[in-house]
Every structure is written in C-alpha cells, then in structure tokens.
Amino acid sequence: MARRPTRFTEEDFEVLEGRASKTEQKKAVQRMAALGAQLAELPRKQIEKLPVEERLIDALLEVESITSHEARRRQFQRIGKLLRNEDETMILSYLTPQQGAKKQAQLMRWVDRIIDQGDPVINEFVKLYNAAERHTLRQHLLRIQRDVAKQVSEEELLESKNKLVNYIQQVALISDQR
C-alpha cells in the first residue's frame, strides 16, 4: 500500500524559516575563523583588552607560538567556535577601524542599495567581494522585507538590518584579507 504524501502547512515552514542550513552554518564558522585570524593579528595589548571570554583571549594569544600550518588552522577553527558565543557587533567594532571611515561609509551605502534595489545589487556585491554568498545576502534581504511587510517594531527591524550590516562587514574584512 502506498503512503499518502504529507501535506505541509504554512506553520511548518514558519518554524523552519529562521534556521540556517548546515551549509550556512559551516560558512558562518569559516567566516568566524577568518575573523579570528584577523583578531590574532591585533597587538597583544589590544587582544588582552578585548571584552570577551578569557578562553578566547588565551586562544588568540596562543596563535603566536604555533608554527605548524595545520595546528594554526585547527586553532583558528577553535577560535571561530569560541567567537560564536560573542557579540558580532562588538568584535567587528575592533576590526573595522582598520578599514577606515571611507570604507565603512561605502559599506553602509552597499547596505542601503541592497535593501532598496535587491537582486541586481546583490549580484554586483558578490562579484566585487569574493567571500560574499548570494544566498545569505538574499536571506537577510528577505527577512528585512518580511519585517517591513509585517510592520514589526522599529527595534526588530533594526535588528534585522544590523544582521545584514554585520554580514557585509565580515565579508568585506575577509575579502580584503584574501
């Protein structure tokens, strides 16, 4: 006897909507490892002053003494995992001054253009920044558009926009590194 196909309701999809796929999770870990590599390049005193867990500071300081390529790679993976527990905005605030005010203004213009114009600008951005993921950018944009359509509170809309800003800053930092 053949099984009858299950009908999915709108609620089923809403439950899964905010979740990241395994691929997105892996890419996020890679981005965090790359940000960890940039944090490790900061001067020792600046690393020690980071408002993060002590384990993360110790892991960042250990990088100096590691000479093996594979051991460094594993250490940066570990740092990436530790960074997941930290506030992305705060971490980016330590790394973005290296980019400069002009670059930050340019990135904010990208954010505004992506929100206003959508896919054509996303395609432009992906071509310019090699670490950018078209799918992830579209997901951030769709979340913002959904929030606007639902007329959510200003605070929730700002949170969605901040996630897009954080992602774009991460991509710009990583792309500049490559």
Side-chain angles (χ1 to χ4, degrees), residues 130-144:
N130 57 357
E133 295 283 327
R134 181 176 286 106
H135 177 74
T136 306
L137 283 167
R138 290 199 78 243
Q139 289 300 100
H140 284 297
L141 175 63
L142 290 172
R143 261 186 224 113
I144 291 169

Side-chain angles (χ1 to χ4, degrees), residues 13 16 34 37 45 56-57 60 62 65 67 78-79 104 122 125 127-128 130 133 142 161 165 170 178:
F13 291 108
L16 297 174
K45 288 189 182 212
L56 178 57
I57 291 174
L60 288 167
E62 277 179 37
S65 62
T67 57
R78 178 174 170 242
I79 289 170
Q104 284 305 304
I122 288 174
F125 186 81
K127 285 180 185 173
L128 196 60
N130 57 357
E133 295 283 327
L142 290 172
K161 286 182 179 179
V165 169
Q170 287 177 14
R178 290 181 181 176

Side-chain angles (χ1 to χ4, degrees), residues 76-115:
F76 286 129
Q77 278 186 322
R78 178 174 170 242
I79 289 170
K81 282 185 178 182
L82 292 171
L83 279 171
R84 281 190 280 177
N85 301 327
E86 302 298 333
D87 180 23
E88 282 182 30
T89 308
M90 185 278 310
I91 302 240
L92 289 170
S93 70
Y94 275 85
L95 293 173
T96 51
Q98 295 173 336
Q99 287 181 320
K102 186 177 178 181
K103 181 75 168 183
Q104 284 305 304
Q106 180 187 28
L107 292 176
M108 293 312 294
R109 284 193 300 275
W110 274 111
V111 170
D112 294 337
R113 285 183 59 207
I114 287 172
I115 291 171

Side-chain angles (χ1 to χ4, degrees), residues 5-177:
T6 306
R7 295 263 185 228
F8 292 104
T9 64
E10 191 67 30
E11 289 177 23
D12 294 332
F13 291 108
E14 285 179 14
V15 169
L16 297 174
E17 190 174 312
R19 297 168 112 184
S21 68
K22 276 190 173 183
T23 303
E24 288 173 336
Q25 290 173 354
K26 288 178 185 178
K27 299 225 183 236
V29 168
Q30 290 170 346
R31 277 196 316 275
M32 286 296 165
L35 288 178
Q38 289 196 353
L39 280 173
E41 292 175 7
L42 292 174
R44 185 179 187 88
K45 288 189 182 212
Q46 203 170 358
I47 291 173
E48 291 170 350
K49 291 181 183 178
L50 287 172
V52 294
E53 287 184 16
E54 194 65 34
R55 294 183 318 166
L56 178 57
I57 291 174
D58 292 341
L60 288 167
L61 294 174
E62 277 179 37
V63 170
E64 287 179 4
S65 62
I66 299 174
T67 57
S68 165
H69 175 72
E70 181 61 19
R72 286 177 71 85
R73 186 192 65 76
R74 285 193 311 270
Q75 183 70 2
F76 286 129
Q77 278 186 322
R78 178 174 170 242
I79 289 170
K81 282 185 178 182
L82 292 171
L83 279 171
R84 281 190 280 177
N85 301 327
E86 302 298 333
D87 180 23
E88 282 182 30
T89 308
M90 185 278 310
I91 302 240
L92 289 170
S93 70
Y94 275 85
L95 293 173
T96 51
Q98 295 173 336
Q99 287 181 320
K102 186 177 178 181
K103 181 75 168 183
Q104 284 305 304
Q106 180 187 28
L107 292 176
M108 293 312 294
R109 284 193 300 275
W110 274 111
V111 170
D112 294 337
R113 285 183 59 207
I114 287 172
I115 291 171
D116 293 340
Q117 299 170 20
D119 282 340
V121 179
I122 288 174
N123 292 336
E124 251 182 84
F125 186 81
V126 169
K127 285 180 185 173
L128 196 60
Y129 292 93
N130 57 357
E133 295 283 327
R134 181 176 286 106
H135 177 74
T136 306
L137 283 167
R138 290 199 78 243
Q139 289 300 100
H140 284 297
L141 175 63
L142 290 172
R143 261 186 224 113
I144 291 169
Q145 290 172 342
R146 183 200 63 212
D147 289 351
V148 168
K150 284 185 174 180
Q151 296 178 341
V152 298
S153 69
E154 191 66 34
E155 186 177 296
E156 290 175 304
L157 183 60
L158 186 62
E159 184 180 329
S160 294
K161 286 182 179 179
N162 280 340
K163 287 182 180 181
L164 175 62
V165 169
N166 285 346
Y167 178 75
I168 286 180
Q169 286 179 336
Q170 287 177 14
V171 164
L173 282 166
I174 296 168
S175 294
D176 289 346
Q177 185 183 26

